[in-house]
Amino acid sequence: MTGLNRRRPALRHGWPIAVTLALSCLLLALVLTRIDIRTDMADLLPRGGTEPARFVLDQIRTGPATGLILLGIDGPDPTELARISRAMKRSLDHSGLFALVENGEQPGPDDPDTALLFRNRYLLSPAVTEAAFAVPALRTDFGKVLQVLQSSASALGARFGLSDPTGAFPALAEAWAGASSVRSEEGFWFAAGRNRALLLAATRAGGLDIAGQGAAVAAIDAAFAAARPGSATLLATGPPVFARDAAAAIRGDVERLSVISTVLVVALLLWRFRSPWVIAAIAVPVLLGIAAAALAVQAAFGFVHGVALGFGITMLGVTVDYPVLLIGHRKRGEAAAGTLRRIGQAFALAVATASLGLTGMLFSGFPGLAQLGLFSVVGILVAAAATRWLLPRLIVAADLAPVALDNPAGILAVERLRAGRGIGVAVCAAAALYLAWAGGLRWETDLTALSPVPQAMLAADATLRAELGAPDAGVAGLVRGADAEAVLRREEALLPLLDRLRAEGAIGGSEIAARLLPSVATQQARQAALPAPDDLARRVALARAGLPYREDAFRPFLDDVERSRTLPPVGPGDVGNGRIAARVHALLMPVDGGGWAGLVVPSDLRDAAKLRAALQGEGVAWVDTGAEAGAIVAQYTEIAWRWFAAGGAIAVCVLLAGTRDPWRVARIIASILAAGLVTLACLRAFDIRLTMINIVALQFAAGVGLDYALFFARPQLDDEERARTLRTLVICNLVAITTFGLLATCRTPLLRQIGITVVIGAVSAIIFAFLFAGPKPGRRAI
């Protein structure tokens, strides 16, 4: 009964904590349901500083290539693979989720895209010339049609040959087919040298519409299953598939680590404080900080991005230290004022320097960093305010305090290790020498290095692209104009150049909108080449003389030519929303800020330098997507470093103003710089290339390091207080290491980078804060 009686006061006085925690959870849930959380990565991207950079960013936001899915069906029987391919195409076409699904199967005569091309063939086809309607040319064409009518393809000849004897439609279809090297078997695409049926699909969802693309990928899986594949297997690659797999990998990592880290952290805090109310009390400021931060970002930006929310919550992990520091320094039975009097200055400086140090992110010019900066600053301030003005009443009521020290003298003996500061200096010197010897830090500008997509999947994607003969959009010419017509006219002027480059072997071919959709001027010129009705009727009569045709056999031809003379030109907005639209809109598009752009995309590129020089000689911009993306990342990484340094300078000023003790400030700064130097040296030794993610992680590590240094450097009134500080900071450090150490085991490179950086930084921070920030053994901090 004695043990039970001891628990009753804690249970009785702990209910305010329980109520406050419940209200905090309710508030956070309410906020998360009210704010606009977006996942479109376009909302995080900056505005490029150059025309190619802006174009690359626009393509990342809305580019058609981001919705491209490549499919391969492997199996032993080509006939069975063709059946599965046909069934999948029909299912995907009917789903409404795809703008384009191609498998090599020829569309039927009633296909809307085929009808569109056939109706406008005399405006779009390169075979439409004045010479094509001369009597000798017509007589030759009539003879060819007669041969088709007398063959097994007579039905096809009767349907198309009599209405299009000049072959305008076949020439147009050939231009649309391009120079594909895909093998055709049983009317379907197959990879060369293997039993693999191939399909190409483009989603209607934007490249960064995660939900829409996820639905499209799920539709592919369902279509394959519905086709009763038997022993056949499906290989799917492309950005939408990668996005789904990446989301699944990240979700799996987060769910697994959330459970493990929660169990470990709770166990650690229970061991230290012996009370579940401590866990509840620690959660209150953190939850309130997250809720306030989300509201602030919503108010400032009109939405909260999911990435900023996730990383912001990670950054606010530093606020877990605030209630731990308050409870860890409290003596049992002590009034709140007494605890705050002893730690108040260090606590206030830790909050001020951490929040002001992060304000630089607000002015980085990178929307993602700006949201993250605002989220972190507001969250830190609110969590600190809750710790300072709300939590004391709760912890005093429940009498929360750490377990009494069994052997303070033993813990204080650890302080003698400060006599080894010289070793710490030597380690820093060694780290600096190593960085100099290794050539400094290494930077990562290739965003794919952080991709959670396995290398095997990337290799499979490259194989499918090669088998399909898909153009490489990694490099392209960029043709700009005031409107679509201006772009198409410029592109038409490039066609002879591209044909010459292909003949010279610099490229195997090219995708360009002007081959598919001529300019209005060209279409009108082709209309002008069409003979008048009476003149054409006379020519047809002369050409069919002596041939076994009825007098009215070519009436469909005469009617279609007469109708084509008055058809309106076909523009980008007149191509529907099917296969034709998908092809045209991938190559010809409006751009933000006004104007239009057209892409010249090479296939089988063999001499990039020659192509680049030729295009630039015609005033066409050269876009290397990889290089431009790398330059954008490098630019904003440099900006982030500058603001990181500016935040550090602000923190130094705050420390000087708050302590008015330059020597103490020097010790604090020395400990943080030493921890940062050793962390960077370790990252270099592990051959980790630094990205903007590492900068965010370093800011977090610097924040916790600042907390450690401030509390080690504050005036310690007695031995018991010094022992209490040491134990509390070790607990804070173990919480950080436990949480972020698990991140270092993730499969997702981005999460792994954060974990490795923070763990190294946190361990280095507490070691150097202990060695450099605290007073020498036998001395009290002043």
Side-chain angles (χ1 to χ4, degrees), residues 708-720:
Y708 303 156
L710 279 166
F711 274 81
F712 273 128
R714 72 189 179 91
Q716 307 286 339
L717 302 180
D718 51 39
D719 290 347
E720 185 181 357

Side-chain angles (χ1 to χ4, degrees), residues 400-534:
L400 300 182
V403 176
L405 299 176
D406 296 328
N407 185 13
I411 294 178
L412 287 172
V414 177
E415 290 198 344
R416 299 193 187 98
L417 295 175
R418 286 201 181 102
R421 283 177 173 173
I423 298 176
V425 173
V427 170
C428 293
L433 289 173
Y434 170 75
L435 285 174
W437 172 80
L441 303 174
R442 300 180 66 190
W443 298 96
E444 182 61 79
T445 57
D446 183 5
L447 293 181
T448 60
L450 293 178
S451 170
V453 182
Q455 287 298 317
M457 182 61 75
L458 294 176
D461 181 70
T463 300
L464 281 178
R465 287 182 183 276
E467 290 172 344
L468 280 162
D472 180 9
V475 294
L478 180 63
V479 180
R480 291 296 303 270
D483 50 31
E485 175 69 7
V487 172
L488 290 172
R489 288 194 183 192
R490 289 192 64 192
E491 288 187 347
E492 286 172 340
L494 295 174
L495 293 178
L497 172 65
L498 295 172
D499 291 338
R500 177 171 60 80
L501 290 170
R502 181 181 180 184
E504 294 173 353
I507 57 175
S510 60
E511 282 274 283
I512 183 171
R515 291 192 195 276
L516 311 176
L517 181 66
S519 66
V520 171
T522 297
Q523 293 182 53
Q524 290 174 339
R526 288 171 181 169
Q527 283 180 310
L530 299 175
D534 292 343

Side-chain angles (χ1 to χ4, degrees), residues 402-677:
V403 176
L405 299 176
D406 296 328
N407 185 13
I411 294 178
L412 287 172
V414 177
E415 290 198 344
R416 299 193 187 98
L417 295 175
R418 286 201 181 102
R421 283 177 173 173
I423 298 176
V425 173
V427 170
C428 293
L433 289 173
Y434 170 75
L435 285 174
W437 172 80
L441 303 174
R442 300 180 66 190
W443 298 96
E444 182 61 79
T445 57
D446 183 5
L447 293 181
T448 60
L450 293 178
S451 170
V453 182
Q455 287 298 317
M457 182 61 75
L458 294 176
D461 181 70
T463 300
L464 281 178
R465 287 182 183 276
E467 290 172 344
L468 280 162
D472 180 9
V475 294
L478 180 63
V479 180
R480 291 296 303 270
D483 50 31
E485 175 69 7
V487 172
L488 290 172
R489 288 194 183 192
R490 289 192 64 192
E491 288 187 347
E492 286 172 340
L494 295 174
L495 293 178
L497 172 65
L498 295 172
D499 291 338
R500 177 171 60 80
L501 290 170
R502 181 181 180 184
E504 294 173 353
I507 57 175
S510 60
E511 282 274 283
I512 183 171
R515 291 192 195 276
L516 311 176
L517 181 66
S519 66
V520 171
T522 297
Q523 293 182 53
Q524 290 174 339
R526 288 171 181 169
Q527 283 180 310
L530 299 175
D534 292 343
D535 185 25
L536 182 58
R538 179 185 61 81
R539 297 184 192 187
V540 168
L542 293 173
R544 69 176 173 79
L547 296 175
Y549 285 109
R550 296 194 310 270
E551 183 177 351
D552 62 347
F554 290 103
R555 172 50 53 188
F557 171 52
L558 295 171
D559 292 342
D560 284 355
V561 171
E562 181 178 2
R563 184 167 50 252
S564 297
R565 285 169 54 85
T566 57
L567 282 176
V570 180
D574 304 320
V575 293
N577 59 0
R579 299 188 313 277
I580 293 176
R583 289 281 300 279
V584 170
H585 295 162
L587 298 169
L588 181 67
M589 63 214 74
V591 295
D592 290 342
W596 282 65
L599 288 178
V600 182
V601 184
S603 59
D604 191 14
L605 180 59
R606 302 160 194 161
D607 191 341
K610 187 172 185 177
L611 174 63
R612 177 176 182 172
L615 291 177
Q616 289 180 334
E618 297 295 327
V620 176
W622 178 259
V623 178
D624 184 331
T625 304
E628 291 295 338
I632 293 168
V633 172
Q635 174 189 357
Y636 284 96
T637 299
E638 181 182 351
I639 292 173
W641 269 121
R642 287 203 300 266
W643 283 111
F644 187 17
I650 293 172
V652 171
C653 294
V654 172
L655 287 173
L656 287 172
T659 65
R660 299 181 182 179
D661 186 346
W663 173 237
R664 193 197 307 179
V665 172
R667 298 200 315 266
I668 293 170
I669 295 172
S671 70
I672 295 173
L673 292 178
L677 178 62

Side-chain angles (χ1 to χ4, degrees), residues 162 197 432 715 753:
L162 296 177
Q753 289 265 33

Side-chain angles (χ1 to χ4, degrees), residues 135-147 149-150 162 165 539-554:
V135 172
L138 288 174
R139 186 170 182 82
T140 300
D141 291 337
F142 291 172
K144 294 178 181 178
V145 172
L146 184 61
Q147 292 176 356
L149 291 173
Q150 294 172 344
L162 296 177
R539 297 184 192 187
V540 168
L542 293 173
R544 69 176 173 79
L547 296 175
Y549 285 109
R550 296 194 310 270
E551 183 177 351
D552 62 347
F554 290 103

